[in-house]
Amino acid sequence: MYRLEKRPQPSAVMRVVSPLLAAVAMLVTGFVVFTLLGKDPAQAFYVFFIKPINTSYGFGELLLKASPLILCGLGLALCYRANVWNIGAEGHLTLGAITGGGVALWLGDSTSLFALPLMLLAGALGGAAWGAIPAWLRNRFHTNEILVSLMLVYIAQLLLSYLVHGPWRDPAGYNFPQSKAFGEAELLPMLIQQTRVNGSLVLALVLAGASWFFSEKTFAGFRLQVAGLAPAAAAYAGFSEKRNVWLVMLLSGASAGLAGVCEVAGPIGQLQASISPGYGFAAIIVAWVGRLHPLGVVLGGLLMSLLYLGGEAAQMQLALPSAVTGLFQGVLLFYLLAADIFINYRLRNTATATPPNAAPSSTEAGV
Amino acid sequence: MNSMVAVITSTVFAATPLIYAALGETVTEKAGMLNLGVEGMMLVGAVTGFAVGIKTGSLTLGLIAAAIAGIAMSLIFAVLTLSLQTNQVATGLALTLFGIGFSAFVGHDYAGMPIPSLPDLHLPGLTDLPVIGPLLFNYDVMVYLCIPLIFAVQWFLTRSHAGLKMRAIGESPSVAHSIGYPVLAVRYYAVMFGGASAGLAGAYLSLAQTPMWVEGMTAGKGWIALALVVFGTWKPLRVVLGALLFGGVTVMQLHAQGFGFSIPSEFLSMLPYVATIVVLVLICRNPKTILLNQPASLGRNFHPTA
């Protein structure tokens, strides 16, 4: 009989190993699911995980879809580090697309070099403004940021839907709910020939670097970490909780807002009623799988992007619904949460175990 | 008069799934467990109820299957948080994300299929009464089942011995454990009750309200149910009152255009979400309201080492 025993110290090795363990467990589950659905698992695996990135175009798609996931995931990782449960990245992304896209429509067919920077700025500000609402409400009225940030997702999506059905609809667009196409100067520059990889990848990687520097090398980043790991110590040291909430919500809002404007100024090229297949929600998993660390978020973003590509490929070539992506995402997060138990606990054979500590413990689970 | 009756009956109709989901979550949270997976459990309940309803032709079996599916989903949450000590917030979020993906995957083939909606009961004599008949005696069976459920939950939490034990566990699991209460077992049951209720709430959407299966058809109702628990300060009757208020907001949204307001439909659809935020601000404004009513150990894990 084995039982769980608390480790004297959290295991640093397991922190890195557990996402890998979870990924392997997810693959095994995929194997079982594909078999149960009557597909040849080996072929299904090839179609899902290898074929999509076999070509340079396919690899480009991987990078293209990873960018918004990384941008959203970086902001969420900051929030979760500080124990701020923002789950509204999808809303921040949508508002960033609205404000950034709005600037593009306002500029019309401008050829100015400043068009794109202005759009990016507007997108970041739009996302930050949407992030400011749950921050303000939490600081001022003690509301729960989980519920408020999620409600704001629906509100942002309905706002976008109103705009593209109404005032911003392209008059020459045969009544489709979409805006006019953006001008050449309002689109992100392409990075690699024969692919759709654009400037958003550079932006995502630069921000990942900046986020690492901020978290590890600045005092503000240190304050966030203390607030997340030991709220009481942070209060004792006089670190303002309210300032932390403002900081992470504004930064994560801006970063997800950038993701939104990069989507409409990139692969989409105009405003539409739907601009994201749930990148903002998938980014929650990205942040978690990435251990809330910027480098991990980059890797997690690539993995999640591969799941999106695999889902599309499975739909076309295996006649499976593309929702299989969401299934894999959820399963991955479950396994990760379960595997994380080995960071703080280890399995002990009860036959040889030392006498257990008799005192029960009531703890908030480690984040 | 007739339009008033229509507004009231459609309010009840809109509030029913919220009542089920929010009552279930109230019990879960009273035991100290914060399950943010309501939205996911509702979606899985909705798709399961619909699929079983289609396959067997029996809506009753569909409802039962939905409750079982809700319990199965909640057991994932319970095993992870209670037996494996994972963070409740993260696990609840994961349950919702999984539920969205799983229901979309399973429901793919059922999208757009027609199903007969849950019939309104016709009570000879009573239903035919003017005004009173359509107002009180013309709902489907799930609306009527709701009423004993509300009072059962109220009685259980405030009057029964088992309910008292459960509340003690929700307030202080370590004290409850030290006087011999089975903390983990009770928390398992509380989470499962929440799962069954959420599953039924979901099935009510796909078998009575819409009635069909649409991907992501809950549209945030699971989250609104979570907000209702806070709004009702963890008291069943106030939670139900909140659900009825929200049903009213939804109905207002449907009837506003009929009353001659020329507001774009998107802004009307925003109403329930805006209302949720407003309601949270109103109730949380005074931190003491939450401190006094929220189960003290809500969201905190407990690991009996002895």
Side-chain angles (χ1 to χ4, degrees), chain A residues 116 119 182 186-188 198 260-270:
Chain A
L116 192 61
M119 286 168 63
F182 298 166
E186 292 148 7
L187 295 176
L188 288 163
N198 62 37
V261 67
C262 284
E263 282 301 289
V264 292
I268 302 177
Q270 61 185 168

Side-chain angles (χ1 to χ4, degrees), chain A:
Chain A
M1 183 65 189
Y2 285 88
R3 62 189 299 280
L4 285 170
E5 183 188 276
K6 199 158 181 111
R7 291 180 194 268
Q9 241 120 46
S11 159
V13 176
M14 277 314 296
R15 274 187 71 80
V16 180
V17 172
S18 94
L20 301 176
L21 215 61
V24 170
M26 179 193 73
L27 292 180
V28 173
T29 308
F31 195 88
V32 174
V33 169
F34 285 137
T35 313
L36 287 178
L37 291 170
K39 313 283 174 193
D40 172 18
Q43 194 228 345
F45 259 82
Y46 176 73
V47 168
F48 205 100
F49 293 108
I50 307 212
K51 201 158 169 233
I53 51 169
N54 226 352
T55 61
S56 59
Y57 177 81
F59 194 72
E61 290 295 292
L62 180 78
L63 299 178
L64 180 75
K65 284 196 197 306
S67 310
L69 289 163
I70 295 170
L71 283 169
C72 294
L74 287 172
L76 294 182
L78 271 186
C79 290
Y80 301 158
R81 268 177 169 239
N83 250 338
V84 174
W85 292 94
N86 169 21
I87 57 170
E90 186 81 2
H92 306 153
L93 180 151
T94 306
L95 214 80
I98 291 174
T99 50
V103 167
L105 295 174
W106 173 62
L107 290 172
D109 285 326
S110 157
T111 51
S112 164
L113 272 180
F114 294 106
L116 192 61
L118 204 59
M119 286 168 63
L120 293 175
L121 183 68
L125 287 178
W130 219 235
I133 300 173
W136 182 65
L137 293 180
R138 169 169 158 164
N139 282 339
R140 178 76 182 74
F141 298 108
H142 319 280
T143 56
N144 178 317
E145 71 276 12
I146 304 175
L147 293 169
V148 174
S149 63
L150 189 94
M151 292 298 131
L152 287 168
V153 172
Y154 292 103
I155 296 174
Q157 286 173 341
L158 287 165
L159 182 64
L160 175 64
S161 167
Y162 162 71
L163 290 170
V164 295
H165 280 98
W168 290 2
R169 183 167 59 188
D170 181 5
Y174 305 103
N175 260 342
F176 278 113
Q178 54 192 30
S179 75
K180 274 166 62 172
F182 298 166
E184 196 63 33
E186 292 148 7
L187 295 176
L188 288 163
M190 291 296 170
L191 283 189
I192 309 170
Q193 290 289 307
Q194 315 285 316
T195 71
R196 298 201 295 161
V197 180
N198 62 37
S200 65
L201 180 69
V202 179
L203 210 56
L205 294 179
V206 167
L207 277 185
S211 166
W212 174 81
F213 184 82
F214 173 77
S215 300
E216 306 287 330
K217 300 287 171 197
T218 66
F219 187 51
F222 174 72
R223 282 197 302 252
L224 291 185
Q225 193 142 11
V226 176
L229 292 174
Y236 185 69
F239 300 164
S240 159
E241 188 201 335
K242 292 187 177 184
R243 183 170 55 187
N244 279 345
V245 172
W246 273 114
L247 187 66
V248 294
M249 287 305 296
L250 290 177
L251 285 177
S252 70
S255 164
L258 270 179
V261 67
C262 284
E263 282 301 289
V264 292
I268 302 177
Q270 61 185 168
L271 283 175
Q272 296 175 344
S274 166
I275 49 157
S276 151
Y279 288 141
F281 293 118
I284 299 172
I285 307 175
V286 167
W288 218 262
V289 173
R291 304 270 69 141
L292 311 184
H293 186 281
L295 177 63
V297 168
V298 172
L299 297 175
L302 289 169
L303 174 65
M304 207 55 61
S305 167
L306 180 59
L307 287 184
Y308 273 109
L309 291 177
E312 285 169 18
Q315 184 174 27
M316 283 186 285
Q317 292 162 43
L318 300 171
L320 286 174
S322 67
V324 70
T325 300
L327 189 65
F328 274 120
Q329 288 174 350
V331 167
L332 176 65
L333 191 47
F334 280 144
Y335 284 132
L336 182 71
L337 289 166
D340 272 359
I341 193 176
F342 295 112
I343 296 174
N344 288 313
Y345 294 87
R346 61 185 163 203
L347 279 180
R348 255 300 169 81
N349 193 332
T350 35
T352 61
T354 46
N357 184 356
S361 63
S362 175
T363 51
E364 216 158 347
V367 174

Side-chain angles (χ1 to χ4, degrees), chain A residues 141 150 154 161 341 359 361 363, chain B residues 84 86 220 223 266 284 301 303 305:
Chain A
F141 298 108
L150 189 94
Y154 292 103
S161 167
I341 193 176
S361 63
T363 51
Chain B
L84 297 178
T86 61
W223 295 100
E266 284 90 353
C284 301
N301 277 350
H303 188 56
T305 14

Side-chain angles (χ1 to χ4, degrees), chain B residues 104-182:
Chain B
F105 183 71
V106 175
H108 184 257
D109 296 336
Y110 294 97
M113 274 182 164
I115 194 166
S117 101
L118 208 58
D120 291 337
L121 297 188
H122 189 94
L123 308 168
L126 291 175
T127 309
D128 302 322
L129 289 173
V131 186
I132 306 284
L135 198 59
L136 294 180
F137 301 109
N138 200 20
Y139 297 103
D140 55 68
V141 62
M142 287 291 282
V143 174
Y144 293 113
L145 280 180
C146 205
I147 297 163
L149 182 74
I150 294 166
F151 289 103
V153 168
Q154 169 76 8
W155 174 83
F156 172 76
L157 286 178
T158 56
R159 292 277 176 271
S160 77
H161 188 67
L164 184 68
K165 268 188 183 175
M166 199 191 82
R167 284 192 294 148
I169 286 166
E171 294 299 330
S172 175
S174 46
V175 170
H177 174 77
S178 65
I179 53 175
Y181 291 171

